[in-house]
Amino acid sequence: MNAKKINKLAIGTIWALVSVVVLILIFLLGYILVTGLSDISWKFLTSTSSSISAGGGIRDQLFNSVYLLVLTIIISLPISLGAGIYLAEYAKDNWITTLIKTAIEVLSSLPSIVVGLFGYLILVIKFQLDYSILSGAIALTIFNLPLLTRSVEDSIEEVPKLQREAGLSLGLSKSKTIVGVVLPLAIPGIITGVILSSGRIFGEAAALIYTAGQSAPIVSYTDWNPFSPSSFLNPMRPAETLAVHIWKLNTEGIVPDAHIVSSGASAVLIIVILIFNLSSRFFGNWAYRKMTGTTRKKRG
């Protein structure tokens, strides 16, 4: 067999494997959407859930997921930004930097259930934060830091060195060059990383079972006082998210329409995650054109 035939065989094998992965993805997404889209309605999205009778919705669970996502990004983005800047601009090539990067890799490979149990022992029990949105946000921050840090680091490293040299040649200090020259050019990649990590956070369940809790108490959406126990903005209240609600319905749901609610909630979850993933490319390219006036080149 000559080299051309071997090359064609290798390319055909790669395409076959890629096709299998794509078909599995299409099957899973198609099955969830086909079985769940018909159950989605305005009433379903805006009514409270029910643990006894049929006809419940996902209003509180959907809001809890969004609120938890916002708090997690607020906590994790500044930390990831600082770590990414340090690794890309200041870290020397020595054993300390290698240790930091290894720690980040190990942290990214931790199962979410382990992060949840750690959050339960430290946040809920040790620091007595109880089951709360804040406990869940801190646990998800641990879960989210490696992805965001790597995204920030890669985005900064992609900025051409010529841009740094231009800033330094104007008499700017290194820190001012990073803030005024490098970061604006890295913002599109950072935005993409934030949006992609948001999809991962929104669909997380295992880490939240032991931190944010499995209950969704009735809250008032007219009470804007975050210190009020009945306020929807109170970060110290337990909050069942959409992913946890789906898991709970399929494991211990006793309502007559548990399967219907689970199918509809799963479809909503998939749609939101797809929106996050598809919008990451759009907003990344839009921000790049806005910042540079040029179109981002495709890799490869």
Side-chain angles (χ1 to χ4, degrees):
M1 187 177 292
N2 57 33
K4 289 185 177 180
K5 290 184 178 180
I6 293 175
N7 184 57
K8 288 182 179 180
L9 180 62
I11 293 175
T13 303
I14 292 172
W15 274 106
L17 294 174
V18 171
S19 300
V20 170
V21 174
V22 172
L23 287 174
I24 293 174
L25 178 63
I26 292 175
F27 172 76
L28 290 174
L29 295 181
Y31 176 79
I32 294 172
L33 293 176
V34 168
T35 56
L37 280 176
S38 59
D39 301 319
I40 300 176
S41 63
W42 181 250
K43 180 182 177 182
F44 179 72
L45 296 174
T46 57
S47 59
T48 58
S49 61
S50 175
S51 57
I52 301 176
S53 59
I58 58 170
R59 182 193 68 181
D60 296 333
Q61 287 78 11
L62 188 57
F63 174 79
N64 290 338
S65 297
V66 175
Y67 190 23
L68 190 63
L69 168 63
V70 172
L71 282 182
T72 303
I73 295 298
I74 290 174
I75 297 172
S76 60
L77 183 57
I79 301 173
S80 301
L81 195 60
I85 292 173
Y86 171 77
L87 290 173
E89 296 292 335
Y90 293 100
K92 297 179 181 179
D93 189 12
N94 52 31
W95 68 271
I96 297 177
T97 303
T98 303
L99 180 62
I100 293 173
K101 291 186 177 181
T102 302
I104 292 174
E105 294 296 333
V106 171
L107 190 60
S108 66
S109 63
L110 284 178
S112 57
I113 190 69
V114 174
V115 177
L117 289 171
F118 173 81
Y120 173 75
L121 293 173
I122 300 299
L123 301 172
V124 178
I125 303 298
K126 181 68 176 178
F127 292 104
Q128 297 183 354
L129 294 178
D130 298 326
Y131 292 113
S132 63
I133 294 177
L134 183 60
S135 296
I138 296 174
L140 287 184
T141 295
I142 300 172
F143 188 69
N144 194 44
L145 279 178
L147 177 62
L148 262 184
T149 300
R150 180 55 60 87
S151 175
V152 172
E153 181 186 359
D154 291 343
S155 300
I156 292 175
E157 288 180 344
E158 285 181 358
V159 177
K161 291 184 178 180
L162 196 61
Q163 301 289 342
R164 296 173 175 82
E165 294 172 357
L168 294 173
S169 66
L170 293 174
L172 298 176
S173 64
K174 186 171 183 177
S175 60
K176 288 185 178 180
T177 300
I178 293 171
V179 174
V181 178
V182 177
L183 275 182
L185 293 174
I187 282 178
I190 296 174
I191 291 176
T192 300
V194 170
I195 296 175
L196 288 175
S197 65
S198 298
R200 187 181 183 188
I201 294 170
F202 198 86
E204 180 57 39
L208 298 176
I209 294 173
Y210 300 100
T211 52
Q214 303 177 41
S215 61
I218 301 299
V219 295
S220 172
Y221 289 91
T222 59
D223 187 355
W224 291 82
N225 180 11
F227 300 102
S228 173
S230 62
S231 173
F232 69 105
L233 293 176
N234 185 1
M236 302 308 298
R237 63 180 175 85
E240 181 186 57
T241 62
L242 193 59
V244 174
H245 187 56
I246 295 169
W247 170 82
K248 193 174 179 180
L249 283 170
N250 285 280
T251 54
E252 53 187 55
I254 59 173
V255 292
D257 60 344
H259 176 69
I260 295 175
V261 176
S262 175
S263 298
S266 299
V268 172
L269 183 65
I270 289 297
I271 290 171
V272 174
I273 293 175
L274 285 175
I275 290 173
F276 278 131
N277 284 272
L278 295 176
S279 62
S280 64
R281 178 179 294 272
F282 170 79
F283 282 108
N285 291 334
W286 174 83
Y288 190 84
R289 289 195 302 269
K290 202 75 174 176
M291 293 288 180
T292 65
T294 59
T295 305
R296 180 186 290 182
K297 294 181 180 179
K298 294 181 180 180
R299 295 183 180 180

